[in-house]
Amino acid sequence: QVQLVESGGGLVQAGGSLRLSCAASGRTLRIYNMGWFRQAPGKDREFVASITWNDGRKYYTDSVKGRFTISRDNAENTVSLQMNSLKPEDTAVYYCAAGPVVATMVSGQYPYWGQGTQVTVSS
């Protein structure tokens, strides 16, 4: 089993930055692909970014490319999401997820999830 705990959400003005972190415990993080998803009120959960644990390949949804950066720290068992140039449409609950399928954007292929952290961007 893998346990995931997110932190770093909050309220920020448009154009600002936030950094989300996800701390993992349980089974070694090195065998998993890690991802960030988000869910805005009334909308489906959507893929934001992912990173492969062994070689650090990164994937982003188009709407965040150039603004968000995903990174990992194998030694600390953490994954982070640096979010710059935030927009009101980035407002959502952000979830960290872990799974065995590399480079997937499909939420169903991530069996482990954190509790979520709220990100609110004011205009």
Side-chain angles (χ1 to χ4, degrees), residues 3-44:
Q3 293 78 44
L4 305 172
V5 178
E6 304 98 333
S7 61
L11 173 64
V12 65
Q13 289 187 333
S17 298
L18 282 174
R19 185 177 180 87
L20 305 182
S21 293
C22 175
S25 60
R27 292 184 61 184
T28 175
L29 198 59
R30 291 171 179 79
I31 66 172
Y32 284 96
N33 183 63
M34 300 294 296
W36 286 95
F37 289 76
R38 65 187 180 187
Q39 187 166 19
K43 295 187 177 181
D44 293 335

Side-chain angles (χ1 to χ4, degrees), residues 38 48-49 60 63-70 81-87 90 94:
R38 65 187 180 187
V48 176
Y60 300 93
S63 63
V64 307
K65 285 180 181 177
R67 301 189 298 122
F68 291 12
T69 302
I70 190 171
L81 185 69
Q82 177 66 42
M83 305 185 294
N84 299 328
S85 302
L86 283 161
K87 305 176 181 179
D90 294 318
Y94 283 70

Side-chain angles (χ1 to χ4, degrees), residues 58-111:
K58 303 175 183 181
Y59 302 88
Y60 300 93
T61 191
D62 287 345
S63 63
V64 307
K65 285 180 181 177
R67 301 189 298 122
F68 291 12
T69 302
I70 190 171
S71 60
R72 81 210 193 284
D73 184 328
N74 294 47
E76 297 293 328
N77 283 349
T78 59
V79 175
S80 297
L81 185 69
Q82 177 66 42
M83 305 185 294
N84 299 328
S85 302
L86 283 161
K87 305 176 181 179
E89 51 264 42
D90 294 318
T91 295
V93 177
Y94 283 70
Y95 296 91
C96 176
V101 180
V102 172
T104 178
M105 300 180 183
V106 179
S107 61
Q109 292 181 319
Y110 289 84

